Amino acid sequence: MSDIEQRVKKIVCEQLGANEADVKNASSFVDDLGADSLDTVELVMALEEEFDCEIPDEEAEKITTVQQAIDYVNANVK
Amino acid sequence: MLNQQVALVTGASRGIGAAIAVALGKQGAIVIGTATSTSGAEAITAALNAAGVNGIGMALDVTQPEQVDAVLKQIATQFGDVSILVNNAGITKDTLLMRMKDEDWDAVLNTNLKSVFRMSQAVLRPMMKARQGRIVNISSVVGHMGNAGQTNYAAAKAGMTGFTKSMAMEVGSRGITVNCVAPGFIETDMTAELPEEIKTKMLERIAIGRLGQVDEIAATVAFLASPAAAYITGETIHVNGGMYCA
């Protein structure tokens, strides 16, 4: 597991109160991990903080799974 | 009761805001009161000290986003994150609608309503993280019953009510409550400006038969800020002596 993948999963676990075992790359925040709309906003805010970046709203909307979050960070954060 | 929680009260140099700042401090909160001028901020510090309350005054114009950011940063560094916000800062520019200028409208809406959006948003992040927070917005009986000569003020205060209800729904699941306290006719500098005949007319409508005191508003705010009020949110508590029964 890459460092970024680990950090993303850790944040997802913390924010959504999910078990590490349930957080898979394909997991959807809403459908699989039970996030509500406020949870997803908080999650994006936590990612911004962790990776010291700003995720625009139109990009944030597209991040609905763990893998998408990892991909976003890989593509946009140095 | 508010053991070492950080409370931010806007417009705290006099009137209702000053009383709220002291009341929260007496419950054990660390209080930061704001005023638009440096001299106002100094007066707040002096008043808090005189009341034996832990806290200081800071200069803040709530219509200026960069000032809001700077003040919140300073508070976070010096005292910790704000867990109680009282949006009290407000102004009036009374005139009949026929004569109301754009500036009168904008000034009142910016200071009284947009500031509530800005301040509430600014304190929300740490509150969400802490799963705890209290926001109390000081509205007015005028926002509910209307008042000739105050279309701008009444619109801003009524807007605050809708904001409060909606925000309460958004953040309730995070242990954050958002409420309004709607004062009636309270003895302050703001109401002292009113013409005598309007005062007499208003007094006739007050069931309790007297003006309200700032401490009577402050006590209600202190209650809403306390752990005892954890199940009240999106609500407006009217404190008006029976002047208007909502």
Side-chain angles (χ1 to χ4, degrees), chain A residues 19-61:
Chain A
N19 287 321
E20 247 181 275
D22 297 331
V23 179
K24 307 204 164 54
N25 290 38
S27 299
S28 153
F29 303 131
V30 175
D31 297 331
D32 300 319
L33 301 173
D36 64 16
S37 60
L38 193 54
D39 287 322
T40 56
V41 172
E42 276 191 290
L43 186 59
V44 167
M45 282 167 31
L47 290 169
E48 288 178 333
E49 224 160 80
E50 172 74 21
F51 295 102
D52 193 22
C53 63
E54 197 157 314
I55 306 175
D57 282 349
E58 58 272 21
E59 294 297 324
E61 276 166 28

Side-chain angles (χ1 to χ4, degrees), chain A residues 1-11 70:
Chain A
M1 210 186 287
S2 75
D3 168 53
I4 284 176
E5 185 173 342
Q6 258 177 357
R7 283 159 72 191
V8 168
K9 285 184 174 170
K10 183 163 169 278
I11 287 171
I70 295 167

Side-chain angles (χ1 to χ4, degrees), chain A residues 15 36 38-39 42 45-46 48-49, chain B residues 125 128-129 131 170-174:
Chain A
Q15 286 297 323
D36 64 16
L38 193 54
D39 287 322
E42 276 191 290
M45 282 167 31
E48 288 178 333
E49 224 160 80
Chain B
R125 204 164 176 153
M128 299 252 289
K129 270 198 183 152
R131 294 289 191 266
E170 287 189 16
V171 300
S173 65
R174 299 302 188 270

Side-chain angles (χ1 to χ4, degrees), chain B residues 179-218:
Chain B
N179 291 289
C180 286
V181 172
F185 199 178
I186 309 299
E187 215 174 317
T188 64
D189 293 348
M190 195 187 265
T191 53
E193 283 174 19
L194 293 169
E196 206 51 48
E197 78 252 32
I198 292 189
K199 274 193 222 173
T200 315
K201 254 195 199 151
M202 282 198 164
L203 260 180
E204 282 168 10
R205 301 180 53 170
I206 301 173
I208 302 283
R210 62 170 174 83
L211 297 191
Q213 299 299 313
V214 290
D215 291 340
E216 292 170 313
I217 304 301

